[in-house]
Amino acid sequence: MQIPLPPVPLPPSVVEVARAYADGERTAVEPRNAATVILMRASDQGPDVYYMRRQVSMDFAAGMAVFPGGGVDPRDFDVEVAWAGPTPAEWAARLGCDEETARALVCTAVRETFEESGVLLAGPSASEVVADTTGDDWEADRVALETRELAMTDFLTRRGLVLRTDLLGVWDAWLTPVFEPRRYRTWFFVAALPEGQRTRDVSSESSSVVWLPARTAADQADAGELAMMPPTYLTSMEVGSFTTPDEVLAVAASRSVEMFTPSVEPIGDGFTLSMPDRLRPMLAARRRG
């Protein structure tokens, strides 16, 4: 189900589904934990962000522009995974979850970024990062991770690498509305493209990929040229308000998040979806602008 960008009114079909839930005719689906990463690089138009356009055949967010990410795999909970950076307990405090879940979410963020862009936030030590992941051997490992033939812990151990969790920052957390048939509890991370690495169009879940300044992506969404779910749009709008990836990461370094669940709220003669209060002034200024 496509959810329009706020404050665009919800179509009657979505309002009907929301009312059915409110009337007790539908029950909420148990959400799945997931992580997504806003991968950035510098440009003269503010942070460039890596977007993937999901295959139109996908069950969730079909045809939408999204950031790399996906659901937590049971093996992402492995306590033996090589780790550098903030401890799982520190991540838990910032992500607003328990330590076990925090460990899995950080691992998922790194794994999914590699699976869907070829970028690996890992290195031989806590102060190094892999410089090139374009070789055939790296691609074979990426595919094995994507098909779940290989676990992240085994992949890192075999290559003598550690997760560089310090290269990630916390940005936001969104839970799919209660009336949706598919629901995800998604934590949003930010990261800068490591020096020497480059993205590749490799994900089986995307039909195309593109680097775009975050503010340009939001402009294209406003113009109807780029389809986005509200969290992707609002995140692009917020990240696009900064000048450099370093500025975004500096904010993320001190940010902690609470899960936000959009609800239906009135707008004019119809209804729309709510958003975090901190983003309302920015969106209002954008609409006036």
Side-chain angles (χ1 to χ4, degrees), residues 216-232:
T216 299
D219 289 343
Q220 290 186 4
D222 285 337
E225 300 168 357
L226 193 64
M228 289 182 178
M229 300 291 276
T232 310

Side-chain angles (χ1 to χ4, degrees), residues 122-126 128-130 159-162:
S125 72
E128 300 173 277
V129 66
V130 173
R159 286 187 171 271
L161 301 175
V162 298

Side-chain angles (χ1 to χ4, degrees), residues 125-196:
S125 72
S127 61
E128 300 173 277
V129 66
V130 173
D132 183 12
T133 62
T134 59
D136 291 343
D137 57 331
W138 287 104
E139 177 60 13
D141 282 345
R142 190 201 63 78
V143 171
L145 284 166
E146 188 176 42
T147 59
R148 301 299 180 263
E149 296 174 15
L150 180 63
M152 192 68 174
T153 298
D154 295 337
F155 164 63
L156 295 173
T157 299
R158 191 179 69 208
R159 286 187 171 271
L161 301 175
V162 298
L163 285 181
R164 286 290 308 276
T165 76
D166 57 307
L167 299 180
L168 287 168
V170 178
W171 198 252
D172 218 334
W174 288 77
L175 175 56
T176 313
V178 293
F179 55 82
E180 285 284 355
R182 285 180 177 271
R183 303 184 67 212
Y184 293 89
R185 189 185 293 108
T186 305
W187 280 263
F188 284 59
F189 296 83
V190 289
L193 180 68
E195 185 176 352

